[in-house]
Amino acid sequence: MSELGYDADLPAHVERALGAFLGRAGEEICHTEPSVRTGIDALSEFVLGGGKRLRPTFAWWAWRGAGGDPAGADAEGVVQAAASLELIQACALIHDDLIDSSDSRRGSPTVHIAFAKHHADNGWLGSPATFGLAAAVLIGDLALAWADDMFADASLPPATMARARPAWRAMRTEVLAGQYLDMRTQATGDTSVEAALRIDMLKTAAYTVQRPLHLGASLAGADDELISTLLRFGGDVGVAFQLRDDLLGVFGDPSVTGKPAGDDLREGKRTLLVALGLERAAQQGRANVVTVISDAVGNAELADTDVDNVRQALVEVGAVDAVEQRIDELTGTAMAALDRAHLADPAPAELTELVVKATKRAY
Amino acid sequence: MSELGYDADLPAHVERALGAFLGRAGEEICHTEPSVRTGIDALSEFVLGGGKRLRPTFAWWAWRGAGGDPAGADAEGVVQAAASLELIQACALIHDDLIDSSDSRRGSPTVHIAFAKHHADNGWLGSPATFGLAAAVLIGDLALAWADDMFADASLPPATMARARPAWRAMRTEVLAGQYLDMRTQATGDTSVEAALRIDMLKTAAYTVQRPLHLGASLAGADDELISTLLRFGGDVGVAFQLRDDLLGVFGDPSVTGKPAGDDLREGKRTLLVALGLERAAQQGRANVVTVISDAVGNAELADTDVDNVRQALVEVGAVDAVEQRIDELTGTAMAALDRAHLADPAPAELTELVVKATKRAY
């Protein structure tokens, strides 16, 4: 447990709250049915095993910035409510890894892979892959149900909780809508700039930044004007985050990003970077460049030299510069919105630091 | 919309509440992102397209029996809270069908099959099966998140809602634990009587009867003694339901059960009926009967004549009689508990009718 206060070490407090909740909830159901222990343990390890705690951090600083008192009666309840966002994220990642057939996350096997292996190692009946699928679906579902339990059980006055529900509701629906849109866009082969931006808006901006800020601010009783300013800030920051992530996914150092260079291309991710690359190459009449890029996207067998060719193409047609410029613009408008929000100290400085860290060039 | 009161036509009121919620929630997200419409429509059709509304009905009669007034201020909120159980059930069924690779439900294609077909019909990129899987995972997740939203937004006083949370919490965790236990038991090949009963307890009794009763009674402010009597009643009723369902799964008329005779055997369902069949055949030293039964369970290619052989075996070793006797005993103890509960009229008569309908011999 952290000896530091909430402001100084929020991630440690978030992890303490998650650990306590998962311990309680896990004991309760394992008391009823001991054989679910392996599933519960897998969820706990997943949730407690890593992550930047970005969503709780945004929620916390919005709460602080809107007047929340870290020494007040609500602070611990706000930490618990904010920490519950990590359980939504656990569901999203576990189910996403299953849908994308991803083998590893944060250097460990994904849940469906780990359970398929558990099945095979034990020589159980039926198909290991089906067992892995079932485990990942059910453990993800449990994370989603428990997110709601952890949120609802935060010790905060009913009126405070009622104010926070619109943000809570929107967050879960929007992330699922974003994932749905993402898979639909990959299926239809829509490579437009517009589709890429809509996915960025729902999957990253709304879910990772806007709604956590909205949640924190509404727990502090912020008025509509402040909330709407924070949503502006969060929308721009969130898209900028995603654009930086897209660049790292193609140009990033694998030792820093934790995934093989070019994996975003192999997975067929529809990013603004790729959309702009295709659009500009077409505008410039460079049909061969269009082919280089479109053949690469979604090609699971893409060789490293092909990745190099795509990189070069994206630079040459100006897509990389255009994305960098968009990040700069979004960061600028975000900072202006943050200024207008007149948040209480030290929230502006803390939020600025988060923005700088997540949007700066790193390759 | 039903013109009848809640007591006279609860299912119609449950469907009205579900339709109104799904309409509101669907409009909101489709306004943000119109392309999710197909997914939202699929969920609405699934939820509104059928089902016996058993869980809301148990919740309602427990609320009425514990003193809830159908003409009072809380009645509409209780209908909404009870109706939200159908969204948990939608998630459970959509995800279960995916895990079990079931092709149809209530005469229509299951969600993953329908979306795979939608993908194939449109000639989209990638694998139709993967698209179907993604859609089923995400639409099930949305149902689970919306269950919480619909429940939390029921217009009931905060103190009333707080009383109902333990039942709500237990219900979702228990159904997921039951499904987990079920798939684990199928994988390990545990054919014991004990395992079958534990699955029945969690998957059917707790989820379908006990927790809905618990929820309704706690919304009415029932004391611990009444709740514990209702849990006794619900546990026995729920297991009796499942045992009747197990018998129908092997002996039922396909035109009544809606699924091919013997499908429970082909799917490898671990039922008390099968467990007792194996146990008794072994006790009676009839190794060939043990083989007939164990070879049938989980054999997807099982012919109708094999199903006949299993039926005969289950009758001969006395497993069918034993299950019938168990149903009688459970119905008896359930009725005694209902008596002790001294519920307000007409709850005892209504609950008795539900029990009789769901446990009587029907083949």
Side-chain angles (χ1 to χ4, degrees), chain A residues 33 35 39 95 115 124-125 133-134 141 145-146 148-149 152-153 165 169 172-173 180-181 183 187-189 198, chain B residues 33 35 39 95 115 124-125 133-134 141 145-146 148-149 152-153 165 169 172-173 180-181 183 187-189 198:
Chain A
E33 181 46 59
S35 74
H95 283 176
F115 275 78
W124 282 344
L125 304 170
L133 177 144
D141 288 352
W146 281 8
D148 203 71
D149 290 343
D153 294 348
R165 280 216 67 91
R169 212 169 36 215
R172 291 169 316 145
T173 298
Y180 184 92
L181 175 63
M183 66 131 191
T188 59
R198 274 157 60 210
Chain B
E33 181 47 59
S35 75
H95 283 177
F115 275 79
W124 282 344
L125 304 170
L133 177 145
D141 288 351
W146 282 7
D148 283 316
D149 290 343
D153 294 348
R165 280 216 67 92
R169 212 169 35 215
R172 283 134 68 251
T173 297
Y180 184 91
L181 175 63
M183 66 130 190
T188 58
R198 274 157 59 210

Side-chain angles (χ1 to χ4, degrees), chain B residues 184-262:
Chain B
R184 193 177 181 285
T185 307
Q186 290 193 30
T188 58
D190 181 351
T191 58
S192 68
V193 167
E194 199 226 339
L197 279 173
R198 274 157 59 210
I199 294 170
D200 292 347
M201 202 54 215
L202 276 175
K203 258 190 92 164
T204 312
Y207 168 60
T208 305
V209 193
Q210 285 183 312
R211 296 307 177 186
L213 290 168
H214 184 185
L215 187 78
S218 47
L219 285 171
D223 61 20
D224 287 350
E225 198 193 328
L226 175 52
I227 287 171
S228 118
T229 308
L230 285 172
L231 290 176
R232 288 293 286 277
F233 165 73
D236 290 348
V237 165
V239 173
F241 276 20
Q242 186 58 55
L243 299 186
R244 174 59 61 210
D245 203 55
D246 294 345
L247 284 165
L248 289 170
V250 177
F251 294 89
D253 178 347
S255 72
V256 176
T257 63
K259 49 185 182 180

Side-chain angles (χ1 to χ4, degrees), chain A residues 51-251:
Chain A
K52 284 170 290 191
R53 316 303 179 197
L54 206 54
R55 292 164 192 82
T57 303
F58 276 115
W60 176 258
W61 288 115
W63 181 73
R64 291 280 284 110
D69 175 4
D74 283 358
E76 183 60 25
V78 169
V79 168
Q80 170 145 351
S84 72
L85 302 182
E86 292 287 304
L87 288 170
I88 300 180
Q89 173 68 351
C91 170
L93 295 178
I94 292 169
H95 283 176
D96 227 22
D97 285 341
L98 173 70
I99 291 170
D100 294 341
S101 294
S102 304
D103 290 344
S104 73
R105 166 160 312 269
R106 298 180 201 138
S108 297
T110 49
V111 171
H112 65 282
I113 294 290
F115 275 78
K117 184 172 182 304
H118 184 62
H119 183 284
D121 287 349
N122 283 284
W124 282 344
L125 304 170
S127 137
T130 302
F131 187 82
L133 177 144
V137 168
L138 295 174
I139 292 171
D141 288 352
L142 189 67
L144 190 56
W146 281 8
D148 203 71
D149 290 343
M150 187 175 184
F151 178 72
D153 294 348
S155 62
L156 291 167
T160 305
M161 289 302 287
R163 279 199 308 260
R165 280 216 67 91
W168 178 254
R169 212 169 36 215
M171 172 158 177
R172 291 169 316 145
T173 298
E174 284 166 359
V175 66
L176 290 166
Q179 286 178 283
Y180 184 92
L181 175 63
D182 193 10
M183 66 131 191
R184 195 178 179 285
T185 306
Q186 290 193 30
T188 59
D190 181 351
T191 57
S192 69
V193 167
E194 198 226 339
L197 279 173
R198 274 157 60 210
I199 295 171
D200 291 347
M201 202 54 215
L202 275 175
K203 259 190 91 163
T204 310
Y207 168 59
T208 306
V209 192
Q210 285 183 311
R211 295 307 178 185
L213 289 168
H214 184 184
L215 187 79
S218 47
L219 285 171
D223 61 20
D224 287 350
E225 196 193 329
L226 175 52
I227 287 172
S228 119
T229 308
L230 285 172
L231 290 177
R232 288 291 288 276
F233 166 72
D236 290 347
V237 165
V239 173
F241 275 19
Q242 186 57 55
L243 299 186
R244 174 60 61 210
D245 203 54
D246 294 346
L247 284 166
L248 289 171
V250 178
F251 293 89

Side-chain angles (χ1 to χ4, degrees), chain B residues 299-312:
Chain B
N299 174 5
E301 311 299 323
L302 201 68
D304 286 349
T305 52
D306 298 327
V307 175
D308 284 339
N309 291 338
V310 176
R311 285 188 183 132
Q312 201 186 331

Side-chain angles (χ1 to χ4, degrees), chain B residues 339-363:
Chain B
D339 233 39
R340 287 200 307 279
H342 300 295
L343 297 179
D345 283 327
E350 295 284 348
L351 289 169
T352 302
E353 198 189 317
L354 278 172
V355 173
V356 171
K357 251 195 220 162
T359 57
K360 69 173 179 209
R361 291 176 200 233
Y363 53 94

